[in-house]
Amino acid sequence: MNPHEIDLHKELKKYFGFNQFKGLQEQVVKSIITGNNTFVIMPTGGGKSLCFQLPAILSENISIVISPLIALMQDQVDALTQLGVKASFLNSSLDIATSQKVTGQLLAGDLDLIYVAPERLMNPGFLSILERLNAGPGIALFAIDEAHCVSQWGHDFRPEYRQLTVLHERFPKVPRIALTAT
């Protein structure tokens, strides 16, 4: 996807209702759209989610969002679906039937974004699903939200975040964006 062929301000207004980007959002969106790996540190309320949501919406492929917070997944998916975006999540709050339904949507290419917990992402079965997706219809990007959880020294340490190097190893051509708040 070429950022020069897309009117990002028009798309920002269309999907999010904003006339202009905040701070460095536009630079981050352009970086992701051009296929660069990107690390983002923004203040709380700085609009980190938009930095991966807009490129995900504009892509024809699925975007995978890794988030450790079930409540945040639900809130973001609810907001995106109200905007007409095909988004869902897979986490431990879902019963088996719902989880299977979402997995079916994912495999059919019926989603723009899927939010998963790091523990789900690292599951060998889910990694296999991602490999099938990457072969077609394709993965647009991996967004690693709350990237500060990678640190083994913080109170939010999640061992699975330390294993996310698997994304680079298995999907070297898929851009990654890691985001955290100051």
Side-chain angles (χ1 to χ4, degrees):
M1 184 178 344
N2 185 341
H4 303 293
E5 296 174 2
I6 300 169
D7 184 343
L8 291 177
H9 287 90
K10 179 181 169 189
E11 299 297 331
L12 178 70
K13 179 72 173 174
K14 175 181 172 183
Y15 288 103
F16 296 97
F18 302 131
N19 292 318
Q20 59 187 12
F21 288 94
K22 270 190 200 180
L24 298 175
Q25 283 179 324
E26 185 173 9
Q27 282 179 263
V28 172
V29 168
K30 285 180 179 178
S31 178
I32 290 298
I33 287 174
T34 56
N36 295 314
N37 294 321
T38 308
F39 180 63
V40 178
I41 300 174
M42 287 184 173
T44 300
K48 293 179 298 299
S49 298
L50 184 140
C51 292
F52 61 82
Q53 289 172 344
L54 185 57
I57 292 166
L58 298 176
S59 175
E60 294 178 6
N61 300 333
I62 183 84
S63 294
I64 314 297
V65 182
I66 299 103
S67 174
L69 306 170
I70 290 174
L72 180 62
M73 289 184 202
Q74 179 70 55
D75 290 347
Q76 290 196 4
V77 166
D78 288 348
L80 287 165
T81 55
Q82 286 179 4
L83 297 172
V85 177
K86 298 178 290 182
S88 193
F89 59 84
L90 282 169
N91 62 39
S92 60
S93 73
L94 301 178
D95 60 38
I96 292 172
T98 305
S99 182
Q100 289 174 339
K101 178 184 173 193
V102 172
T103 301
Q105 292 173 313
L106 178 62
L107 287 169
D110 292 338
L111 296 172
D112 297 317
L113 287 107
I114 182 119
Y115 287 74
V116 297
E119 296 81 5
R120 172 74 58 132
L121 179 87
M122 296 312 302
N123 176 294
F126 191 76
L127 286 170
S128 176
I129 288 171
L130 292 181
E131 287 176 345
R132 286 172 53 195
L133 278 174
N134 199 42
I139 298 174
L141 68 95
F142 288 105
I144 303 161
D145 205 5
E146 306 296 335
H148 63 275
C149 293
V150 170
S151 168
Q152 62 182 321
W153 305 109
H155 70 283
D156 290 339
F157 175 60
R158 301 280 283 268
E160 291 77 12
Y161 266 78
R162 301 280 296 167
Q163 299 170 12
L164 292 180
T165 56
V166 74
L167 299 177
H168 174 68
E169 294 162 3
R170 289 192 175 189
F171 311 97
K173 295 182 179 177
V174 178
R176 289 156 300 175
I177 178 172
L179 309 102
T180 192
T182 54

